[in-house]
């Protein structure tokens, strides 16, 4: 119903907001790690030649961002299809929430680097995607 559709739209907006946070985290860590003697703002406004993931944190942010892009490729179409088909409820809505919560936890877990934690959180996000898919086809 309309309440489920509105909630799903909220989850879509949260997922997009999280993606923006991933982009910002990666950009800031790359600039901070690569600026050398230059002021960060001057470096950020320039062409960023030679910019690299010079720190472990920057590299982790980059991998997390790429993983988020891959995940959004599945989440966004499924969320929209659930809305279009009138199935933005029950397991589909719960799956979307599981995905968003997992994705909120994924970046900090990846940056911190606690063994197995990132994989467990990624798996939770995947379970959310599967729940959405099962609701769509069920």
């Amino acid at each position: 119903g309309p309440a489920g559709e509105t909630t799903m739209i909220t989850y879509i907006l949260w997922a997009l907001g999280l993606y923006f946070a991933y982009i910002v985290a990666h950009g800031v860590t790359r600039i901070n790690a690569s600026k050398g003697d230059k002021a960060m703002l001057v470096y950020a406004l320039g062409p960023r030649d030679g910019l690299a993931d010079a720190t472990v944190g920057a590299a982790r942010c980059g991998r997390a961002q790429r993983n988020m892009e891959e995940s959004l490729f599945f989440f966004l179409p499924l969320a929209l299809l659930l809305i279009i088909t009138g199935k933005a409820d029950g397991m589909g809505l719960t799956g979307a929430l599981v995905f968003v919560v997992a994705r909120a936890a994924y970046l900090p877990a990846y940056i911190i680097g606690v063994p197995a934690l990132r994989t467990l959180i990624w798996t939770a996000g995947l379970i959310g995607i599967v729940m959405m898919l099962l609701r769509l086809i069920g």
Side-chain angles (χ1 to χ4, degrees):
E5 292 169 3
T6 301
T7 304
M8 186 65 80
I9 290 168
T10 300
Y11 295 159
I12 291 169
L13 293 173
W14 273 104
L16 292 172
L18 286 168
Y19 178 53
F20 181 74
Y22 277 61
I23 292 169
V24 169
H26 186 214
V28 167
T29 56
R30 288 182 75 188
I31 290 166
N32 196 38
S34 304
K35 66 180 179 170
D37 297 333
K38 300 175 184 176
M40 183 183 285
L41 182 59
V42 172
Y43 194 81
L45 295 174
R48 301 183 193 173
D49 293 331
L51 188 61
D53 287 334
T55 65
V56 170
R60 288 178 182 171
C61 283
R63 290 192 300 272
Q65 179 189 332
R66 285 186 294 280
N67 185 271
M68 181 63 161
E69 291 164 358
E70 295 165 0
S71 297
L72 282 175
F73 182 83
F74 295 97
F75 172 78
L76 292 174
L78 286 173
L80 292 172
L81 286 169
L82 286 167
I83 290 171
I84 291 167
T85 59
K87 295 182 177 183
D89 57 17
M91 184 168 48
L93 206 54
T94 302
L97 177 60
V98 168
F99 174 84
V100 170
V101 170
R103 284 283 135 187
Y106 186 79
L107 181 61
Y110 207 138
I111 292 170
I112 293 167
V114 177
L117 182 61
R118 174 189 57 85
T119 303
L120 289 172
I121 293 170
W122 179 89
T123 302
L126 177 62
I127 289 169
I129 293 286
V130 170
M131 291 171 69
M132 293 170 72
L133 179 61
L134 290 175
R135 175 63 183 114
L136 186 62
I137 63 176

